[in-house]
Each structure stands twice: as C-alpha cells, then as structure tokens.
Amino acid sequence: MFKIILARLRQGHHTMEYPDGPAPKLSDRFRGCPVVKADACCDGCADCAGVCPTGAIVIKDNHPCIDMGKCLFCSECANACGQQAIKYSDDYRLAARRREDLVVCNDKPAGPCDVEMERDIKKLFGRSLKLRQVSAGGCNACEADTNVLNTLAWDLGRFGIQFVASPRHADGLLITGPVTQNMHLALKKTYDALPQPKIVIAVGACAIAGGPYIDHEQVKNGADTVVPVDLYIPGCPPHPLTILDGLIRFLGQKEAN
C-alpha cells in the first residue's frame, strides 16, 4: 500500500488547467470551424458543393454556405476550391443551441454562439448534470471521444457532469449516432423515461443530421427527428475539447473567449 501511495505522489497532478488555463494544444491536422471568404470565391462555380459527400454546402448569392451539422470536416471542399475561399480554422468552439446557427456563411458573425441554457433550467442543472449516453447506431468514434472526458486528464466530473446508467437517474440524454430504425423506438423510450425537466444533447454529424448515412432508408437523419434537441455539438467526430467546451458553456460555467 505504501508503494502505491508513493507512486501516486510521484505522478503528480494530471488534470489539465482548462478552462481556467489555456486549452490543450491541438494537432496541426485539427479542423475547426470552417471559414468562408466570399471575396475570394469564384462566383457560382459550385465546385465545393459538388464534392461534398453529405450535401453540407449550398450556394447562396453565388457563395457557399456550410452546414456544420452535416459537415464531416473532411476538407474535400477546401481542396476542390482553387481560389482558397474555404478553409478550416483551429477554432474548436462549435456548439450551438439552434440548428440554424450551425450554418456558416460569409455574413455570419465571427466567434462561437451563445449556448447557455435558460435561467430557470440552469438553477437546477448548472452545478450538477447527470446524462444518459445513448449510442443510436454510431460507429463508436463520437462515443470514444465522449468517454475520453472521463479520464484523469479531462476529469469531466469536476464540472458536476456525470454519465449515469439509467435514464431515470438522469437529467438528460447525450445522443450519438444517426438514429437507426432499430434504435428509433429505444431512443424514444429512453427519452420518455427521463424525469421532467429534461434536456437533450446531440453530439456529432450523425446525431445532428445523419452524417455519412444521411437520407439512407435505415436511419432517421439525426436525433431531432425523434426527440427535441437543446444543444448541438458538430464534428465527425467532434474533438473532446469541442464536446467539453459545449457542455460547460451550456451550463454557464465558462465564458467564450
């Protein structure tokens, strides 16, 4: 026992300082919030929209608009654009309360959305939030990045956020996956089992819009076709930092910088 205690003391403190300190360094390959430069765009060429595998790009007023809810962050659009009108920034703050706020156009204001929950709900959940995680047919990528938040380095519990085994012990659902036909009823029953008031968080492109399986006959194209969604966290999969940022800003525990 003494050796175990001594080894633990030597290991020191592993939990990152974020959000009180700087965010952890992200890989050079990280693709954050897309940026559209309309002044660099070749009017109406639509090459970017043509290569998008999920139809996340539409041409509006001869310029592209990117729906991050559908976006796989594959960067095919950026590679196809000879004018470099689209690029991916290193901004990990992608969460939004409203589905329409996930659409990025040239005229969209810079910076993250305000995602803080309503004041009356915040009084209940602001310091303690219990979530039941539901994998509604996901590939396990979003699930893995969500599970990372329970490790020592991230320590999700320090924010009062915990995953629980039963919806009857939960304040809300965290949903991943495109909601397959086989999971449709299970998701609905899980939502119904939550006590009131309840919240729903959709994590990843699949849970928001169907991801790469969009419009397949065996999927429902996302969670909000089955249950109401209060917070959208896009990505394929979203980085653990993106998920954590969305959750703690949702609880009002961190101001966007």
Side-chain angles (χ1 to χ4, degrees):
M1 178 64 73
F2 177 76
K3 290 182 179 180
I4 294 175
I5 295 174
L6 182 61
R8 184 64 189 88
L9 291 173
R10 287 173 176 170
Q11 288 175 4
H13 184 69
H14 287 279
T15 304
M16 64 184 67
E17 296 181 3
Y18 177 87
D20 295 329
K25 181 176 174 55
L26 297 171
S27 168
D28 293 338
R29 295 178 295 175
F30 174 76
R31 298 175 188 138
C33 185
V35 177
V36 177
K37 296 182 178 179
D39 56 350
C41 183
C42 180
D43 288 349
C45 77
D47 287 346
C48 53
V51 298
C52 182
T54 59
I57 300 177
V58 297
I59 305 301
K60 178 182 177 182
D61 297 329
N62 290 328
H63 300 302
C65 289
I66 303 175
D67 183 349
M68 289 194 295
K70 295 181 177 180
C71 182
L72 304 183
F73 293 78
C74 64
S75 76
E76 288 296 319
C77 54
N79 296 336
C81 181
Q83 307 300 318
Q84 296 184 329
I86 298 176
K87 70 174 185 177
Y88 287 84
S89 70
D90 58 0
D91 191 350
Y92 57 85
R93 301 165 298 176
L94 307 179
R97 290 290 308 275
R98 301 183 305 168
R99 183 68 180 81
E100 56 267 30
D101 287 338
L102 293 177
V103 178
V104 176
C105 294
N106 184 60
D107 56 356
K108 181 180 178 180
C113 299
D114 178 12
V115 299
E116 189 171 340
M117 64 174 66
E118 290 82 2
R119 183 172 298 179
D120 55 341
I121 302 297
K122 182 180 174 182
K123 287 181 180 179
L124 293 174
F125 303 145
R127 298 182 64 184
S128 177
L129 180 65
K130 311 300 183 185
L131 296 172
R132 176 69 170 100
Q133 200 274 324
V134 177
S135 177
C139 70
N140 207 39
C142 292
E143 293 84 350
D145 278 359
T146 300
N147 289 339
V148 164
L149 298 178
N150 287 316
T151 61
L152 286 174
W154 296 89
D155 191 14
L156 186 65
R158 62 192 161 123
F159 304 106
I161 307 172
Q162 293 180 320
F163 292 103
V164 296
S166 170
R168 300 191 185 280
H169 301 158
D171 303 311
L173 300 181
L174 187 146
I175 303 171
T176 55
V179 189
T180 61
Q181 294 288 1
N182 286 341
M183 281 300 298
H184 172 214
L185 182 58
L187 175 59
K188 183 66 169 62
K189 286 185 175 181
T190 304
Y191 176 80
D192 291 341
L194 291 170
Q196 293 284 359
K198 44 192 171 185
I199 61 176
V200 175
I201 301 167
V203 173
C206 286
I208 296 174
Y213 314 104
I214 189 169
D215 292 334
H216 191 283
E217 63 181 6
Q218 291 299 318
V219 303
K220 291 291 185 179
N221 284 354
D224 62 7
T225 63
V226 181
V227 295
V229 174
D230 300 285
L231 181 67
Y232 299 92
I233 304 179
C236 187
H239 192 280
L241 183 58
T242 298
I243 302 172
L244 179 60
D245 168 75
L247 291 176
I248 59 179
R249 287 199 291 118
F250 185 56
L251 293 178
Q253 295 187 14
K254 171 179 176 286
E255 295 295 330
N257 295 322

